[in-house]
Amino acid sequence: MTLVQTQPRPADADSTHRTAQEVMDAAGPQVCDDMSVEVALAVMAAARTGRLVVCDQDDQRIGLVTRTDLTAVRDSGAQADRVRLRDILGDHGSFASRVTTMGEAEHAMRSRRLGALRVVDEQGSAPGILAFSR
């Protein structure tokens, strides 16, 4: 597995020493946290992606949901058309700063078994998400 990068880099650049800011990935389409699980599954299918970036009403990235997260809610018997993404967002405790190196971020993601890691700025906003590519 390798980390997804949004910017081209020189062939000789060592990605483990680059910062999170340099390689942040939006990780998928952005949706609002008031979207239902059922609609989010449809968006995911249409976009042919396995994850969605969740934003609040101020357009700040607040989390990430995966197809696994959404199908677990749907398969649990909950009414997926009434459950909102804000209700199922996972652990907000795992994050990296903009200056975290990719080596540090990859280590944290692997040791915590995370598919994605929020990047948080000095104000606590999440300007991006790092994710492993498929």
Side-chain angles (χ1 to χ4, degrees):
M1 270 187 184
T2 60
L3 290 169
V4 175
Q5 296 182 356
T6 58
Q7 300 172 1
R9 64 183 173 99
D12 60 339
D14 181 0
S15 66
T16 61
H17 296 292
R18 299 183 72 182
T19 65
Q21 180 64 41
E22 294 171 320
V23 295
M24 256 189 292
D25 173 37
Q30 294 184 15
V31 297
C32 192
D33 66 349
D34 66 349
M35 180 178 282
S36 72
V37 168
E38 198 65 39
V39 172
L41 280 165
V43 169
M44 220 178 254
R48 296 182 181 173
T49 185
R51 55 188 172 243
L52 298 170
V53 175
V54 181
C55 298
D56 64 12
Q57 289 76 18
D58 297 324
D59 241 3
Q60 296 295 311
R61 296 177 183 136
I62 59 170
L64 181 91
V65 292
T66 65
R67 185 181 321 278
T68 303
D69 298 331
L70 300 179
T71 54
V73 171
R74 185 190 62 205
D75 295 345
S76 73
Q79 292 182 327
D81 61 332
R82 294 189 183 199
V83 177
R84 304 290 170 214
L85 296 180
R86 72 172 67 95
D87 300 328
I88 64 163
L89 287 177
D91 177 20
H92 291 290
S94 298
F95 64 89
S97 77
R98 291 177 183 244
V99 296
T100 300
T101 67
M102 293 313 302
E104 294 166 335
E106 183 174 3
H107 174 73
M109 291 171 70
R110 289 188 189 284
S111 67
R112 296 180 197 147
R113 295 187 174 135
L114 301 172
L117 187 64
R118 290 185 319 135
V119 177
V120 178
D121 63 17
E122 297 77 21
Q123 289 77 35
S125 297
I129 294 172
L130 296 171
F132 284 114
S133 65
R134 289 176 246 163

